[in-house]
Amino acid sequence: MRTRISICAAAALAVAAALPIAAHHAFGGEFDPNKPVLLKGPVTKLEWVNPHAWIHLEVTNPDGTKEEWMVEGGTPNTLLRRGITRDSLKVGTIIVVDGYQARDHSLKRANGRNITYPDGRKLFLGSSGTGAPTDGADPTEPAKGRGRGGPGGR
Amino acid sequence: MPTSRLAFVPFVSFVTFVSLVSMAQVRRAPSTMPRTADGHPDFTGTYDAGTLTPVERAPGTPAIIPADEVKKLEKQAAARMTTGDAPIKGDRTAPPVGGDGSVGPAGNVGGYNTFWLDPGSHYTVINGQARASIVVDPPDGRVPAITPEARQRIAARTRTAAATSDTISRENDPGYEGGGAYDDPERRPLGERCLLGFGSTSGPPILPTYFYNNLHQIVQTKDSVMILTEMVHDARIVRMGGQHLPKTIRKWMGDSIGRWEGDTLVVDTTNFTDKTRFRGSTPDLHVVERFSRLDARTLLYRFTIEDPATWPRPWTGEYAWPATSDLIYEYACHEGNYALGNILRGARLKEAEDAAKKKP
C-alpha cells in the first residue's frame, strides 16, 4: 500500500512538475535555442497585452550603440489578479533578462525565461521602491493590491 | 498503556464528531444553497477551475490520495512556486547554446519564471476525498485508448498537406515540432491562434489549463445559462429546454441545451465542427455535463464523453469548481498575438537556412 501511494505521489509530482513551465504556445517554433541572450537595460515600454505581455528595454551594445529589445512574458491577466498593473513596472527601471532570441534574428525579440532586477530579485516579487508591488514596509507608499511579495500574496 | 488508551478514546470521538459534522454540512447544503426565484439552484458566479489533480492518473495508482499525502504534495507544489520566486544571480550569463534541455510544451528554450503562473495549488476534493485524477470512469482513471479507426484518421489528417518543414533537420533543435506543424497558420492550435480555448478550457468538456487563467463565470437566467471561459474569452450559451439544432448547423463549441434533473443542471452538447477536435474526436462528439453543488460555495462539474468513432466506450470525469471573489479579465488576444507571426516567420527562416546548408 505504501509503495502504491508513493508511486501515486511520484506520478502526480511528475505531472505537476512538468506543467508549470507550460504556457501558451510553441516556444520551440518561436525562439532559437542556438541564440541565447542576456539583456540588461532600462525598461522603455510595456505592452500589457494578451496572449503575452511584451516588455521593451534599451540595451547598450559593447560598441556603445543602443538597441531596443522586446521580451515576451506570460498573460497580464494573472498579474492583474495579484494587483500588479502596467504601472507597477516603471519606465527606466533597470532589468536583466535571460532567454533565447526569436528565430528571425533581424527581430530584437526574446523570451523572458528569467526577468530580474540587477540584484537578481525576480521581477514583480520585490519590495517597495522598485516599481514592484508594495509590501507594506514603506508607509509612504499606497497599498497596491495583492502583490506576491506582500501581505495576502501567494 | 492505560494512559495512551485514554488519549485514544477522545481522539476517536473527535474524529467521529468531525466526520459527522462534515456529513451534516453536506446534507445541510441544499437548504442553504442560493436559489433562483423559480426554485432552481443558482449557479451564477465566478469559479476557479485550477487544480493540481491531473486529468489522468498513473496506471495502477489509487483514485483517492490519503490526506497526509495530499498535504505533502500540496506543500511540495507551493515550495516549487517559492523556489521559482527566489532571487537568482543578477550577474548571470546567458543560458546554454542549444536550449535549456527542457522537453514538452515549453520547448527547448524554456518558459517564463513563476511570477506569470497560477496553476492551482490544491487537489480537487469531492466529499472529503482528494482525487488523484479527474477521470473517474473507467475506474482506472485513464482515458480509454482511442480506436484503431481514430488512430488512422488522425494520422491521415497530419498527412493531408505536403509537409515542407518535415524535411528540416531537427538535430540540436528538439523543441521544434515536426510533421509540417508550422506550414500553415491553420495547422497551429486554435488557442495559439487566439480563436478558442487552450487545450479544452472552453470545452465542452471544460478542463483546467494547469498554468493560468482558470476562471469561469456562469450567468443563469430562466431560459439560458452562459458559461464564460477566461482562456480564450469564450462564451457558450446553453438554451434551457428546447431541442438541438438540425445536424446541418454546427458550432465550434457545439450546440448546448440544458435541463434540470432535480438540483442538477444537465447540459447536452452535440453538433460540433471538425475544427474543435477534443483529443482527436469527430464532429459526432456528444458531451453531457452535470453541474451540481457540493456546498454553497463549490460546484461539482461532471462530464461524460461519447464518440464511438474515437473511443470504444463513453468515459466520465469530475472535479470541483470553488467559487472565487477574483475577477475575470478580458482575454482578447488576437491583436497582440505577435507570437503566431514569430512562429511562422521563424519556420520560414529555418527552412531557408537548412536548405542553404544542404547545397553542395
Side-chain angles (χ1 to χ4, degrees), chain A residues 114-140:
Chain A
N114 288 296
I115 307 177
T116 70
Y117 298 103
D119 64 3
R121 280 174 305 130
K122 298 278 170 70
L123 200 59
F124 298 130
L125 303 173
S127 182
S128 56
T130 55
T134 54
D135 63 357
D138 181 352
T140 62

Short mmCIF file of all heavy atoms in Angstrom, two decimals, chain A residues 114-140:
data_model
loop_
_atom_site.label_atom_id
_atom_site.label_comp_id
_atom_site.label_asym_id
_atom_site.label_seq_id
_atom_site.Cartn_x
_atom_site.Cartn_y
_atom_site.Cartn_z
N ASN A 114 13.93 34.25 -17.41
CA ASN A 114 14.06 34.90 -16.11
C ASN A 114 14.17 36.39 -16.32
O ASN A 114 15.01 36.84 -17.10
CB ASN A 114 15.31 34.40 -15.37
CG ASN A 114 15.14 32.98 -14.89
OD1 ASN A 114 14.29 32.69 -14.04
ND2 ASN A 114 15.93 32.07 -15.43
N ILE A 115 13.31 37.12 -15.65
CA ILE A 115 13.38 38.57 -15.72
C ILE A 115 13.60 39.04 -14.28
O ILE A 115 12.79 38.74 -13.40
CB ILE A 115 12.07 39.17 -16.28
CG1 ILE A 115 11.72 38.50 -17.62
CG2 ILE A 115 12.21 40.67 -16.46
CD1 ILE A 115 10.41 38.98 -18.23
N THR A 116 14.72 39.70 -14.04
CA THR A 116 15.04 40.11 -12.66
C THR A 116 15.50 41.56 -12.63
O THR A 116 15.81 42.17 -13.67
CB THR A 116 16.18 39.26 -12.05
OG1 THR A 116 17.41 39.60 -12.71
CG2 THR A 116 15.93 37.77 -12.21
N TYR A 117 15.59 42.10 -11.41
CA TYR A 117 16.29 43.36 -11.19
C TYR A 117 17.79 43.04 -11.20
O TYR A 117 18.18 41.87 -11.13
CB TYR A 117 15.86 43.95 -9.85
CG TYR A 117 14.38 44.28 -9.81
CD1 TYR A 117 13.48 43.45 -9.15
CD2 TYR A 117 13.88 45.40 -10.48
CE1 TYR A 117 12.12 43.74 -9.15
CE2 TYR A 117 12.53 45.69 -10.48
CZ TYR A 117 11.65 44.85 -9.81
OH TYR A 117 10.31 45.12 -9.83
N PRO A 118 18.64 44.06 -11.27
CA PRO A 118 20.07 43.78 -11.36
C PRO A 118 20.62 42.98 -10.18
O PRO A 118 21.64 42.30 -10.30
CB PRO A 118 20.70 45.19 -11.39
CG PRO A 118 19.63 46.06 -11.95
CD PRO A 118 18.33 45.50 -11.44
N ASP A 119 19.94 43.03 -9.00
CA ASP A 119 20.44 42.25 -7.86
C ASP A 119 19.91 40.82 -7.87
O ASP A 119 20.16 40.06 -6.94
CB ASP A 119 20.11 42.95 -6.54
CG ASP A 119 18.62 43.06 -6.29
OD1 ASP A 119 17.84 42.53 -7.12
OD2 ASP A 119 18.22 43.66 -5.28
N GLY A 120 19.19 40.43 -8.91
CA GLY A 120 18.76 39.05 -9.04
C GLY A 120 17.36 38.77 -8.53
O GLY A 120 16.84 37.66 -8.71
N ARG A 121 16.73 39.76 -7.87
CA ARG A 121 15.36 39.53 -7.41
C ARG A 121 14.46 39.41 -8.63
O ARG A 121 14.59 40.17 -9.59
CB ARG A 121 14.89 40.66 -6.50
CG ARG A 121 15.38 40.55 -5.07
CD ARG A 121 15.00 41.78 -4.27
NE ARG A 121 15.49 43.00 -4.94
CZ ARG A 121 14.73 44.06 -5.18
NH1 ARG A 121 13.47 44.07 -4.83
NH2 ARG A 121 15.25 45.11 -5.78
N LYS A 122 13.52 38.46 -8.57
CA LYS A 122 12.61 38.25 -9.69
C LYS A 122 11.70 39.48 -9.85
O LYS A 122 11.26 40.06 -8.86
CB LYS A 122 11.76 37.00 -9.47
CG LYS A 122 12.58 35.71 -9.36
CD LYS A 122 12.95 35.15 -10.71
CE LYS A 122 13.96 34.02 -10.62
NZ LYS A 122 13.44 32.80 -10.03
N LEU A 123 11.43 39.80 -11.07
CA LEU A 123 10.60 40.96 -11.37
C LEU A 123 9.22 40.80 -10.73
O LEU A 123 8.64 39.73 -10.76
CB LEU A 123 10.45 41.05 -12.88
CG LEU A 123 10.04 42.40 -13.46
CD1 LEU A 123 11.04 43.46 -13.09
CD2 LEU A 123 9.92 42.28 -14.97
N PHE A 124 8.72 41.85 -10.18
CA PHE A 124 7.39 41.92 -9.56
C PHE A 124 7.31 41.23 -8.21
O PHE A 124 6.28 41.21 -7.59
CB PHE A 124 6.30 41.33 -10.47
CG PHE A 124 6.12 42.06 -11.76
CD1 PHE A 124 6.11 41.37 -12.95
CD2 PHE A 124 5.98 43.42 -11.78
CE1 PHE A 124 5.94 42.04 -14.16
CE2 PHE A 124 5.82 44.10 -12.98
CZ PHE A 124 5.80 43.40 -14.17
N LEU A 125 8.39 40.59 -7.78
CA LEU A 125 8.32 39.91 -6.48
C LEU A 125 9.03 40.72 -5.42
O LEU A 125 9.12 40.33 -4.28
CB LEU A 125 8.97 38.53 -6.57
CG LEU A 125 8.37 37.61 -7.62
CD1 LEU A 125 9.17 36.33 -7.74
CD2 LEU A 125 6.93 37.29 -7.29
N GLY A 126 9.53 41.86 -5.79
CA GLY A 126 10.37 42.63 -4.89
C GLY A 126 9.59 43.47 -3.91
O GLY A 126 8.38 43.37 -3.77
N SER A 127 10.31 44.31 -3.19
CA SER A 127 9.72 45.14 -2.15
C SER A 127 9.45 46.53 -2.70
O SER A 127 9.45 46.75 -3.90
CB SER A 127 10.70 45.18 -0.98
OG SER A 127 10.14 45.94 0.06
N SER A 128 9.25 47.49 -1.81
CA SER A 128 8.89 48.84 -2.24
C SER A 128 10.08 49.57 -2.86
O SER A 128 11.23 49.20 -2.66
CB SER A 128 8.38 49.63 -1.05
OG SER A 128 9.35 49.62 -0.03
N GLY A 129 9.77 50.60 -3.60
CA GLY A 129 10.83 51.45 -4.13
C GLY A 129 11.43 50.95 -5.43
O GLY A 129 12.38 51.53 -5.94
N THR A 130 10.91 49.87 -5.95
CA THR A 130 11.50 49.31 -7.17
C THR A 130 10.50 49.34 -8.32
O THR A 130 10.80 48.87 -9.40
CB THR A 130 11.88 47.84 -6.94
OG1 THR A 130 10.71 47.16 -6.48
CG2 THR A 130 12.98 47.70 -5.92
N GLY A 131 9.31 49.85 -8.02
CA GLY A 131 8.29 49.77 -9.05
C GLY A 131 7.51 48.47 -8.90
O GLY A 131 6.51 48.25 -9.56
N ALA A 132 7.96 47.61 -8.01
CA ALA A 132 7.28 46.34 -7.76
C ALA A 132 6.10 46.60 -6.81
O ALA A 132 6.01 47.67 -6.21
CB ALA A 132 8.25 45.35 -7.13
N PRO A 133 5.20 45.61 -6.66
CA PRO A 133 4.07 45.85 -5.76
C PRO A 133 4.53 46.12 -4.34
O PRO A 133 5.56 45.63 -3.92
CB PRO A 133 3.30 44.52 -5.80
CG PRO A 133 3.94 43.69 -6.81
CD PRO A 133 5.21 44.29 -7.23
N THR A 134 3.75 46.91 -3.64
CA THR A 134 4.14 47.28 -2.28
C THR A 134 3.96 46.12 -1.33
O THR A 134 3.14 45.24 -1.55
CB THR A 134 3.28 48.45 -1.78
OG1 THR A 134 1.91 48.07 -1.92
CG2 THR A 134 3.53 49.69 -2.58
N ASP A 135 4.77 46.10 -0.29
CA ASP A 135 4.64 45.04 0.70
C ASP A 135 4.28 45.60 2.07
O ASP A 135 4.29 44.88 3.07
CB ASP A 135 5.93 44.23 0.80
CG ASP A 135 7.11 45.07 1.27
OD1 ASP A 135 6.93 46.29 1.48
OD2 ASP A 135 8.20 44.52 1.42
N GLY A 136 3.95 46.87 2.12
CA GLY A 136 3.55 47.47 3.39
C GLY A 136 4.73 47.97 4.21
O GLY A 136 4.56 48.62 5.24
N ALA A 137 5.96 47.67 3.73
CA ALA A 137 7.14 48.06 4.50
C ALA A 137 7.34 49.58 4.47
O ALA A 137 7.89 50.17 5.39
CB ALA A 137 8.37 47.35 3.96
N ASP A 138 6.90 50.19 3.39
CA ASP A 138 7.08 51.63 3.24
C ASP A 138 5.73 52.32 3.45
O ASP A 138 4.85 52.26 2.60
CB ASP A 138 7.61 51.90 1.82
CG ASP A 138 7.84 53.39 1.58
OD1 ASP A 138 7.44 54.19 2.46
OD2 ASP A 138 8.41 53.73 0.54
N PRO A 139 5.55 52.96 4.64
CA PRO A 139 4.24 53.55 4.96
C PRO A 139 3.86 54.71 4.04
O PRO A 139 2.69 55.09 3.97
CB PRO A 139 4.41 54.02 6.41
CG PRO A 139 5.88 54.14 6.63
CD PRO A 139 6.54 53.18 5.69
N THR A 140 4.84 55.27 3.31
CA THR A 140 4.53 56.39 2.44
C THR A 140 3.93 55.93 1.11
O THR A 140 3.38 56.71 0.36
CB THR A 140 5.79 57.23 2.13
OG1 THR A 140 6.72 56.38 1.44
CG2 THR A 140 6.43 57.76 3.40
#
